[in-house]
Amino acid sequence: MRLLRVREGEHTLGFLLFNSADEEVPVDFWSVFTGALARDSSKKNFEILTDSLLTFTLPERDIEVSSETWRDALMSTIRLCS
């Protein structure tokens, strides 16, 4: 499993999970999971969930960025896909 963690310090901002092509979906793609665009209470719940995930699976790589940079990247991606 290819898993990347995006973080700011010890706070997990998001995970990227690589999905290999298969019979159902014939292309490789990355799934992005984040709490960065959520309300504060949901952000805390996201971090609780991600902390429990990290006890079972270590990311292939940690990517450190500011929360502002991460949100800007997400919003740019959303605009491109719209």
Side-chain angles (χ1 to χ4, degrees):
M1 176 191 321
R2 292 184 62 192
L3 177 69
L4 307 179
R5 175 186 179 211
V6 179
R7 65 182 177 82
E8 180 178 48
E10 293 303 313
H11 297 285
T12 299
L13 302 173
F15 278 114
L16 290 85
L17 178 64
F18 183 75
N19 300 272
S20 297
D22 61 21
E23 292 177 11
E24 288 184 42
V25 181
V27 295
D28 295 336
F29 65 96
W30 288 90
S31 295
V32 178
F33 301 91
T34 186
L37 304 176
R39 293 185 186 136
D40 286 341
S41 61
S42 295
K43 286 179 187 178
K44 291 182 192 299
N45 289 337
F46 178 78
E47 282 200 51
I48 291 168
L49 288 171
T50 58
D51 288 346
S52 64
L53 176 65
L54 288 172
T55 62
F56 297 106
T57 305
L58 293 177
E60 181 179 312
R61 186 179 342 160
D62 270 345
I63 302 165
E64 178 139 13
V65 298
S66 71
S67 56
E68 182 178 280
T69 299
W70 177 242
R71 276 192 309 274
D72 289 348
L74 291 169
M75 295 307 294
S76 294
T77 302
I78 290 168
R79 280 191 290 275
L80 284 173
C81 294
S82 297

